[in-house]
Amino acid sequence: MSDSSLRDDRLASRFDLLRRESRGGLVTFITAGDPDFARSCRIMKGLPGVGADLIELGMPFTDPMADGPSIQASALRALKGGQTMVSTLSMVEEFRTEDMETPVILMGYYNPIYAYGVARFLEDAKASGVDGLIVVDLPPEEDAELCMPALEAGVHFVRLVTPTTNASRLPTVLKNTTGFLYYVSITGITGTGTASNDEVKGALQFLRPHTDLPIAVGFGIKTPEQAADVARYADAAVVGSALVEKIAESERIGGDSVEAALMFVKDLSSGVRAARSGAKR
Amino acid sequence: MKNLNTYNSGPEKDGRFGIFGGRFVAETLMPLILELDEAYQAAKADPSFDLEVGRYLKHYVGRPSPLYFAERLTPHLGGAKVYFKRDELNHTGAHKINNCIGQILLAKKMGKTRIIAETGAGQHGVATATVCALFDLPCVIYMGEVDIERQQPNVFRMKMLGAEVRAVASGSRTLKDAMNEALRDWVTNVENTYYLIGTVAGPHPYPEMVRDFQSVIGEEVKGQLKDLEGSDRLPDTLVAAVGGGSNAMGLFYPFLDDINVDLIGVEAGGKGVASGKHAASLEGGRPGILHGNRTYLLQNQDGQILDAHSISAGLDYPGIGPEHAWLHDNGRAEYVSITDEEALEAFQLCSSLEGILPALEPAHALAQVIKIAPKLPSSHIIVMNMCGRGDKDIYTVAEALGVSI
Ligand SMILES: Cc1ncc(COP(=O)(O)O)c(C=O)c1O
């Protein structure tokens, strides 16, 4: 990326800030349009205020093959409410009227992007204020599809590294990854198991020598304590299913899902912020 | 393609058939898919692997399956000469076992100790459960709740064979959702598990591998027709039903470069393509990405996958194998659709005329034969793939005909 685009690179600035504050960040995942467009917007806008450092916004898809029941259900709730790619991008646009600093990463599957048209998607995403993309079903072998055009358009392409990514494969995965690296700490779908602290530590030790990119760790983080544990070693902890589950739970009992989601993020954030207090990395 | 003068050199090394195919999977699966490709290419180049597959196909599956001249249907239709490739006579009652024998031997070779599969009609599930019993491997079959309901006999068969059948309650609760769930299982159990995909879909190398294992169908037809009709006689038209497209690819592939042989793939038209309730991905869909490959998909404007509909559980899938998408776009094969009603009529006609209860899947192919044969001369030879028997479908057919059994 050129120097000029780096200067207004929200992702780089945010990880710089975290480094200066000597703490790991909190990345929160919500599905755009869950439980409905209006409330999803309110949740998104409220996230920075309760301590989310980065926002992953899920682009709902009918067939999320790497997601567990919680995120599957949230995508279906959003789609049922009429969420489309256009409305997802307009959520980001609206968010940007209030917040120009918090990085927003769109996460999802390739088909809705492909249907929208790659060139048009990148143009509109960039214009809406999207900083990066995580597209689960686009491995490096398919970089010509979206990764290269995204980098060209000045949109980060964040890649997942998994426990099956071995040393011989790692350079391939790192090659066109920008912004940060997302370490998926378990083999499995979202919202299932949790990796042990030692496993996470070991993975980070394996990855650090190969890259200068910040490393976020996710999959299976459910509590403020777990988020804190991860944020002690990683540059950021990602919480998705557990947050989406709070929304679902609140919907089930007829509660205020905006309030429920934001309260949970506040707890997560307190955990993450306390994790390294006193202990420099 | 490597050689522009041939249709059967595909796919490219990256798994592409033209723009279709590819490897659109999560990173967790990518190393496994590369390992599988390597293992499969090694096996493909190893004559002893081929011999072993051949031995099981002969002594366990009962191949070669006969090529039967439909002696009552042909005069009844009064036109082209109709042959059935009798793959419904295979052990387990469909073509699915051809692929399962090949893949289970590969899984063994790779040292895998647990097998998973998706199934729609249950035929692939039964075939997988069968080879898992034979090779003493634990087996988990994912099947949509809707399909479990309409294919009860096969669910029971799988259980008798020792497989665990896991009901899939997500999405449309049919084949596509079973495939999602199998992929989720695979992502979770990467160490020991082999995913035995039942059709020419999924990420590379599955479309190529499943096609290769099913190509025994077309190869046999080539030899058998020469014996029956004279030394250089090729069929004029091949007709096969297309769900994911494995029985059709198996029949077509050895004939791709025989350009005078017409290839007709029959998709499930459900209640009619215009009604929106169908499974005709080529006729009613457009290119997109699902289950690891780019192909024609039933989807809305926003790239969300639509539910397919067909009376035949085995055809009830919103996609199609990428090689078919490619053969469709380059015009080498023609694809048509047949409605539930037309398939039901063909089912009844075949049963009473030929004494063969066809599965509802090949009943779609037969309905197309019934449409075209009368207009063709008696010198024209049609070979239709009778890829499964209809015993599994009697409840569905009875219900559609308003009979309670
Ligand atoms: C008898 C039979 N024919 C056809 C199919 C459809 O699969 P394919 O298109 O891969 O042959 C099935 C699938 O279950 C089947 O059982």
Side-chain angles (χ1 to χ4, degrees):
Chain A
M1 230 171 263
S2 67
D3 281 354
S4 69
S5 67
L6 252 184
R7 233 175 297 131
D8 47 44
D9 184 341
R10 273 184 286 260
L11 264 177
S13 310
R14 181 50 47 106
F15 279 107
D16 269 353
L17 177 74
L18 291 170
R19 219 167 285 129
R20 282 202 305 279
E21 292 183 357
S22 294
R23 65 178 182 89
L26 173 65
V27 184
T28 53
F29 171 95
I30 55 168
T31 300
D34 173 33
D36 56 39
F37 182 80
R39 282 183 290 172
S40 189
C41 278
R42 281 170 54 209
I43 294 172
M44 187 182 183
K45 284 180 177 174
L47 285 172
V50 288
D53 297 299
L54 277 85
I55 296 173
E56 278 180 18
L57 189 62
M59 301 171 277
F61 183 46
T62 40
D63 294 81
M65 67 169 176
D67 285 300
S70 304
I71 293 182
Q72 286 174 43
S74 84
L76 293 182
R77 281 194 298 273
L79 292 173
K80 216 169 157 194
Q83 189 72 14
T84 62
M85 189 62 90
V86 170
S87 53
T88 297
L89 293 175
S90 74
M91 265 181 78
V92 181
E93 205 175 342
E94 207 177 311
F95 177 79
R96 283 282 171 247
T97 61
E98 296 182 5
D99 184 318
M100 286 302 284
E101 258 115 60
T102 307
V104 174
I105 313 293
L106 292 183
M107 181 162 183
Y109 295 81
Y110 187 33
N111 199 52
I113 296 173
Y114 185 74
Y116 194 91
V118 165
R120 177 181 159 227
F121 171 77
L122 289 171
E123 195 173 313
D124 292 356
K126 182 85 186 160
S128 311
V130 169
D131 300 291
L133 305 173
I134 299 176
V135 184
V136 178
D137 52 354
L138 283 177
E141 280 73 6
E142 304 292 351
D143 270 358
E145 297 283 337
L146 180 66
C147 173
M148 299 322 289
L151 297 182
E152 196 111 317
V155 175
H156 284 292
F157 204 80
V158 174
R159 196 108 58 189
L160 307 178
V161 176
T162 71
T164 60
T165 314
N166 54 28
S168 69
R169 182 164 172 78
L170 190 56
T172 309
V173 175
L174 289 172
K175 191 165 161 237
N176 296 318
T177 304
T178 66
F180 66 95
L181 198 62
Y182 184 155
Y183 180 67
V184 172
S185 60
I186 55 159
T187 58
I189 51 180
T190 52
T192 48
T194 309
S196 71
N197 285 348
D198 284 347
E199 283 169 321
V200 172
K201 251 198 278 189
L204 288 166
Q205 265 162 18
F206 163 63
L207 294 172
R208 293 279 189 209
H210 297 278
T211 180
D212 293 330
L213 289 170
I215 302 175
V217 174
F219 274 45
I221 302 176
K222 294 186 180 73
T223 65
E225 294 71 32
Q226 288 168 340
D229 281 343
V230 166
R232 241 185 291 281
Y233 314 106
D235 298 299
V238 189
V239 180
S241 297
L243 173 53
V244 157
E245 190 49 47
K246 288 283 182 247
I247 297 173
E249 205 180 281
S250 172
E251 287 295 294
R252 266 195 301 273
I253 59 169
D256 180 345
S257 52
V258 177
E259 177 76 16
L262 295 179
M263 259 170 50
F264 180 57
V265 172
K266 196 169 186 167
D267 288 345
L268 290 169
S269 164
S270 309
V272 165
R273 277 162 204 258
R276 285 198 221 153
S277 53
K280 269 244 163 92
R281 176 162 146 247
Chain B
M1 294 289 133
K2 284 153 242 160
N3 178 352
L4 290 173
N5 298 316
T6 177
Y7 285 99
N8 54 21
S9 66
E12 302 280 347
K13 262 193 83 62
D14 60 0
R16 287 291 207 280
F17 300 90
I19 67 160
F20 301 105
R23 290 175 285 206
F24 297 89
V25 295
E27 172 59 24
T28 313
L29 291 182
M30 203 56 221
L32 283 74
I33 280 166
L34 293 173
E35 178 200 358
L36 175 63
D37 191 26
E38 204 172 298
Y40 176 59
Q41 298 307 336
K44 197 171 171 174
D46 174 4
S48 72
F49 183 78
D50 200 43
L51 279 177
E52 201 178 1
V53 171
R55 222 173 13 248
Y56 279 102
L57 288 182
K58 178 167 185 215
H59 299 290
Y60 189 71
V61 175
R63 301 207 73 91
S65 68
L67 184 65
Y68 162 73
F69 168 61
E71 62 181 47
R72 288 197 65 207
L73 184 71
T74 297
H76 176 84
L77 297 176
K81 201 166 177 182
V82 179
Y83 282 94
F84 293 163
K85 178 59 174 167
R86 302 285 305 274
D87 256 51
E88 100 281 11
L89 293 176
N90 294 336
H91 178 43
T92 71
H95 66 293
K96 296 286 179 187
I97 189 98
N98 303 331
N99 166 50
C100 289
I101 291 287
Q103 285 201 57
I104 199 83
L105 289 170
L106 185 63
K108 271 275 184 196
K109 226 174 142 87
M110 293 175 72
K112 300 292 177 185
T113 55
R114 174 176 178 265
I115 306 293
I116 58 171
E118 83 295 338
T119 196
Q123 287 303 114
H124 176 58
V126 166
T128 303
T130 297
V131 296
C132 286
L134 179 64
F135 287 88
D136 194 21
L137 287 168
C139 174
V140 173
I141 304 291
Y142 289 93
M143 188 168 186
E145 283 180 344
V146 169
D147 292 336
I148 286 184
E149 190 54 44
R150 59 180 163 175
Q151 302 287 341
Q152 275 298 325
N154 275 344
V155 175
F156 185 68
R157 286 166 82 194
M158 286 184 267
K159 288 181 179 163
M160 287 288 98
L161 292 161
E164 181 194 341
V165 180
R166 291 195 189 158
V168 177
S170 60
S172 59
R173 299 176 295 140
T174 58
L175 182 53
K176 107 178 149 69
D177 309 285
M179 199 147 180
N180 286 335
E181 223 41 53
L183 284 165
R184 289 177 185 128
D185 180 313
W186 202 23
V187 169
T188 309
N189 301 293
V190 293
E191 290 299 330
N192 62 351
T193 298
Y194 183 95
Y195 181 13
L196 208 163
I197 294 184
T199 190
V200 286
H204 178 67
Y206 285 101
E208 172 190 358
M209 176 166 68
V210 177
R211 173 202 72 195
D212 291 348
F213 288 138
Q214 291 293 0
S215 289
V216 64
I217 299 172
E219 278 153 18
E220 284 177 7
V221 166
K222 242 182 184 176
Q224 288 167 323
L225 198 70
K226 282 178 180 164
D227 291 346
L228 290 163
E229 294 279 348
S231 64
D232 52 3
R233 189 69 165 99
L234 287 170
D236 298 295
T237 302
L238 302 176
V239 183
V242 178
S246 68
N247 87 84
M249 266 332 296
L251 178 64
F252 295 174
Y253 186 67
F255 294 95
L256 288 183
D257 278 345
D258 298 311
I259 49 162
N260 292 325
V261 179
D262 288 342
L263 312 174
I264 303 178
V266 183
E267 297 190 285
K271 297 191 189 328
V273 173
S275 74
K277 287 194 170 308
H278 63 89
S281 342
L282 288 173
E283 202 176 328
R286 58 195 162 80
I289 291 91
L290 182 70
H291 295 151
N293 67 91
R294 174 164 25 231
T295 189
Y296 278 79
L297 298 172
L298 302 182
Q299 55 182 317
N300 70 12
Q301 278 311 306
D302 216 37
Q304 305 298 340
I305 307 304
L306 298 174
D307 291 350
H309 168 87
S310 172
I311 191 169
S312 146
L315 305 182
D316 203 346
Y317 180 68
I320 181 168
E323 195 165 6
H324 285 292
W326 178 68
L327 293 170
H328 169 265
D329 276 17
N330 66 29
R332 175 63 189 96
E334 180 194 354
Y335 295 85
V336 298
S337 65
I338 284 292
T339 63
D340 290 350
E341 204 172 312
E342 291 168 324
L344 274 169
E345 274 168 29
F347 180 99
Q348 295 169 80
L349 185 71
C350 188
S351 303
S352 61
L353 267 188
E354 292 288 356
I356 297 171
L357 261 67
L360 280 171
E361 292 82 12
H364 284 71
L366 187 62
Q368 178 63 17
V369 170
I370 292 169
K371 273 189 185 173
I372 63 173
K375 293 176 251 170
L376 293 164
S378 59
S379 57
H380 191 104
I381 295 177
I382 298 177
V383 175
M384 189 214 93
N385 200 2
M386 184 61 76
C387 60
R389 55 176 171 248
D391 308 48
K392 70 181 173 64
D393 293 316
I394 54 171
Y395 298 96
T396 307
V397 173
E399 193 187 313
L401 299 178
V403 181
S404 65
I405 50 175

